[in-house]
Amino acid sequence: MIRVEHLSKQFGELTVLRDVNAEIKKGEVISIIGPSGTGKSTFLRCLNLLEMPSGGRIFIDGADILDKSADVPKLRQKMGMVFQSFNLFAHLTALENLTIGPVKLLGRSKEQAEKKAMELLKMVGVAEKAGSFPDELSGGQKQRVAIARCLAMEPEIILFDEPTSALDPTMVSEVLAVIRRLAKKGMTMAIVTHEMDFARDVSNRVFYMDEGIIYEEGPPQQIFESPQKEKTRVFINRVRSYSCHIDNPDYDLYAMNGEIETFCEKHALPKQTRNRALLLVEELLVVFGAWRGAQAVDIDLTLSYSEKQDSLELVVESAGDYLNPFEENTLSDQLGITIVKNLSENMEYRRVNNRNRVGLTVKK
């Protein structure tokens, strides 16, 4: 239904979209997720030419809407859009908001438009508000009217631009329920959303956008449970990290410990977890640092806290010859390794790019 090739968009010197390629098939529900400022809303607005792309091609049912000979108004009628700020006409009632488009653009009679409008208002649960003006509606009711207004134009695809971001938490569920109902009916939809559970439940595919591109895409199970790329994993698990590179055997351990404590305090980690993290860092630095003697030190340390999983992970990488600290008789400091094993779980050693890599989860 929609095919996008090498789409780009610049605002002056700022590049928001740089090489977006995507395909949305009839009946698919696509959730678009990613950090703020990565071009998600701009991507949607380019699809129906609310923003004119700087480059690339957009095909709707095989027709390039950027071609000079394209009938853009007709092609755009195939796509409805629901905005985060509702965009209802304040001087019109809910019913009038639904009928004005079909009467003026689709040539429907007033009676036909009103009959269809009441059916749609009933479907989204606000039929009793047909005679109310937007400022007499709650945020959730306004958004449901906006969805009904979009449906009144009989689109083949609906674009949702963060439809719940302007709502109080108590109103989010009522809007998402309407979108779920549309999904069950087979409506083709592309939804920019920060509601991760909703995206997981309702989508056929998920686009993760970052760096001005669709950085990773796949079925919800892959994106949310086993993302293939690191930035996707960090976003999904809401991971925050502290990193440190040690290239001097006389590094300031106390200063580094202070930074680690500050990182742990920032994320409200229990004191016991903080103390265990500090001890694990110290023991692993001994394992990968002290054994070299006079040689130069080359160690990367990363401490990552996952808000979603409420877990603290420690990764230590070291240059040098093969050294798996979990193999018996590899090291003389068996007491240190025993401490590491007692204070952590999910321990793993890997040899990556001629570096020793130890990863573990700090016990709570």
Side-chain angles (χ1 to χ4, degrees):
M1 178 169 278
I2 296 179
R3 189 172 81 253
V4 179
E5 297 179 352
H6 307 294
L7 182 67
S8 63
K9 176 61 180 177
Q10 289 87 35
F11 294 96
E13 296 182 357
L14 176 65
T15 298
V16 178
L17 302 175
R18 59 185 177 88
D19 188 20
V20 176
N21 296 277
E23 185 171 0
I24 301 174
K25 299 176 182 177
K26 185 176 179 61
E28 276 196 309
V29 179
I30 305 294
S31 287
I32 305 169
I33 64 173
S36 298
T38 53
K40 304 184 298 297
S41 295
T42 301
F43 172 53
L44 281 197
R45 294 174 69 85
C46 283
L47 290 182
N48 64 0
L49 302 186
L50 287 177
E51 298 287 355
M52 184 58 63
S54 303
R57 304 174 78 186
I58 300 172
F59 296 89
I60 301 177
D61 289 339
D64 186 353
I65 65 174
L66 297 176
D67 189 278
K68 292 182 179 180
S69 62
D71 187 349
V72 174
K74 184 177 180 180
L75 290 169
R76 288 175 69 181
Q77 280 189 12
K78 295 184 178 184
M79 288 190 287
M81 189 158 185
V82 177
F83 303 87
Q84 55 184 297
S85 55
F86 322 130
N87 286 15
L88 297 175
F89 294 113
H91 65 291
L92 301 180
T93 65
L95 182 66
E96 290 168 340
N97 264 281
L98 267 67
T99 59
I100 186 172
V103 169
K104 291 194 171 185
L105 299 177
L106 301 183
R108 304 286 188 265
S109 69
K110 182 179 178 182
E111 292 74 19
Q112 287 176 319
E114 287 185 349
K115 181 180 178 181
K116 180 66 174 179
M118 287 305 299
E119 291 175 359
L120 292 171
L121 289 174
K122 184 177 181 180
M123 189 197 82
V124 299
V126 289
E128 77 282 4
K129 299 293 184 180
S132 300
F133 289 92
D135 62 2
E136 298 173 322
L137 305 176
S138 70
Q141 290 169 339
K142 289 178 186 177
Q143 194 60 291
R144 284 184 281 158
V145 171
I147 293 172
R149 181 182 62 178
C150 179
L151 292 169
M153 293 298 294
E154 302 175 6
E156 296 181 19
I157 181 171
I158 301 180
L159 310 176
F160 291 88
D161 186 10
E162 299 191 39
T164 61
S165 66
L167 302 179
D168 292 335
T170 55
M171 300 176 184
V172 170
S173 60
E174 60 193 64
V175 173
L176 296 184
V178 172
I179 299 175
R180 284 192 180 94
R181 184 172 181 180
L182 293 175
K184 289 179 181 178
K185 288 187 173 185
M187 173 63 72
T188 307
M189 295 184 284
I191 309 165
V192 171
T193 182
H194 289 290
E195 301 288 340
M196 296 298 104
D197 290 339
F198 171 76
R200 180 200 297 266
D201 294 342
V202 79
S203 309
N204 301 107
R205 284 187 295 146
V206 176
F207 292 171
Y208 172 73
M209 289 192 69
D210 207 338
E211 300 179 357
I213 62 172
I214 296 176
Y215 188 80
E216 183 172 355
E217 68 173 274
Q221 184 176 9
Q222 173 191 312
I223 297 297
F224 289 103
E225 296 180 16
S226 55
Q228 303 300 298
K229 297 187 178 182
E230 180 64 16
K231 285 190 175 184
T232 314
R233 186 188 73 83
V234 167
F235 176 81
I236 293 299
N237 293 315
R238 297 186 290 277
V239 175
R240 302 293 181 269
S241 299
Y242 164 80
S243 298
C244 179
H245 177 69
I246 300 171
D247 57 7
N248 189 323
D250 297 321
Y251 63 93
D252 191 338
L253 174 64
Y254 300 104
M256 184 185 68
N257 282 352
E259 293 171 355
I260 291 174
E261 284 207 62
T262 299
F263 172 80
C264 292
E265 288 173 359
K266 180 179 179 181
H267 298 289
L269 297 176
K271 186 175 181 180
Q272 177 176 268
T273 303
R274 280 182 268 165
N275 291 339
R276 286 178 174 174
L278 289 168
L279 189 52
L280 284 166
V281 167
E282 190 168 336
E283 293 297 338
L284 286 173
L285 288 179
V286 169
V287 167
F288 286 121
W291 66 278
R292 286 184 177 78
Q295 295 185 39
V297 176
D298 183 2
I299 298 175
D300 288 301
L301 179 151
T302 302
L303 200 61
S304 302
Y305 172 66
S306 169
E307 178 185 341
K308 180 179 179 182
Q309 299 176 355
D310 188 27
S311 63
L312 186 63
E313 296 183 359
L314 173 64
V315 174
V316 179
E317 289 191 3
S318 167
D321 298 332
Y322 173 87
L323 177 64
N324 183 350
F326 303 124
E327 288 183 353
E328 293 187 6
N329 303 319
T330 302
L331 300 168
S332 58
D333 185 16
Q334 291 302 320
L335 175 60
I337 293 304
T338 299
I339 293 173
V340 170
K341 291 179 178 179
N342 289 337
L343 298 182
S344 62
E345 52 193 5
N346 303 323
M347 295 172 294
E348 179 189 51
Y349 169 84
R350 285 192 293 163
R351 183 76 174 169
V352 181
N353 297 326
N354 294 319
R355 294 174 68 83
N356 300 295
R357 185 183 190 274
V358 168
L360 53 84
T361 303
V362 181
K363 281 186 178 178
K364 296 180 181 178

